[in-house]
Amino acid sequence: MNDDLQQLCKTLHLAHLPEGVEKVPFDDPRSFLAGVLRQEVEGRHQARIARLIKKAKFRERKTLEAYEWTDTVQLPATLTQPSLTSLQFIDHQENVILMGSSGTGKTHLATALGQEACQQGKEVRFFQVASLVQQLEEHFRAGTLGKFKRGLDKCDVLILDELGYVPFQKEGAELLFHLITDCYERKSVIVTTNLEFGQWNRIFGDNRLTGALVDRLVHHAHIIAFKGESYRLKHALSHQKSIHSSS
Ligand SMILES: Nc1ncnc2c1ncn2[C@@H]1O[C@H](COP(=O)(O)OP(=O)(O)OP(=O)(O)O)[C@@H](O)[C@H]1O
Ligand SMILES: [Mg+2]
């Protein structure tokens, strides 16, 4: 490509044109121009999705395509599989709570829903709860809590992964409570947890606060139960079996 074209693309902020312009079929000038502009629009769209995925800070790449819908996952009467995966709950600022024992696919599904939301142009933030509480405490002490929360203001979906594995101190529990209260009816929260609601006071350490928190979270929520064996264990066992049978 000549320098002149490179410079024109730069001046017009057409970041996605330079490399691929030669590949656009040339039938007539108008359809060529349309093809070239379509390439720029598609390039911008893909770049926005990549930015959203990076900003969400997922811990892993997990997709809905790779998710096996088995009877481990028990959807509530309020939710069908297509309505979940098309993310209608986000448009209605509803919550999704994925509840069940270890290794049953809660984080996979929460991450995949979050990544699908990014594909749809939505802002997502993924946190492991213990790390979020630690960040809230640090910002509170440093006097930067307001700024940290404003950074979350624009997001459509907050994913809180692994609620229940680590208990909090009183201050951390209160900070998390306020954050969830801020989200109430304004954005969707996806929670993964190994604990039933009746046990949440064990991690929050305060019955009244736990009650108020559960009340807000479940008011507009779909609760998905995960039953059965750990996927990790099942795969480790079948892997072992195949090693033994081949030896
Ligand atoms: N239904 C499924 N389809 C495809 N992969 C699955 C499924 N369920 C679990 N897995 C895989 O099994 C592993 C464990 O799943 P995951 O981490 O989501 O479990 P979890 O319920 O979040 O467990 P924990 O409570 O210990 O955090 C992951 O690698 C995940 O991709
Ligand atoms: Mg998990």
Side-chain angles (χ1 to χ4, degrees), residues 60-70 72-73 98-111 128 161-162 165 192-194 226 229-235:
E60 295 166 294
R61 293 301 298 261
K62 295 281 180 189
T63 61
L64 287 172
E65 290 75 39
Y67 195 75
E68 271 183 82
W69 294 90
T70 61
T72 305
V73 194
L98 311 175
M99 190 179 272
S101 49
S102 193
T104 47
K106 304 179 297 294
T107 300
H108 183 134
L109 187 55
T111 305
Q128 280 193 310
D161 190 33
E162 295 190 355
Y165 285 108
T192 82
T193 180
N194 60 329
F226 288 71
E229 267 189 272
S230 160
Y231 210 86
R232 296 186 192 108
L233 200 65
K234 228 170 17 196
H235 275 237

Side-chain angles (χ1 to χ4, degrees), residues 137-153:
E137 287 171 339
E138 282 167 8
H139 283 291
F140 179 63
R141 285 185 210 127
T144 52
L145 188 60
K147 190 168 169 230
F148 177 71
K149 282 191 175 181
R150 276 193 299 282
L152 300 177
D153 248 5

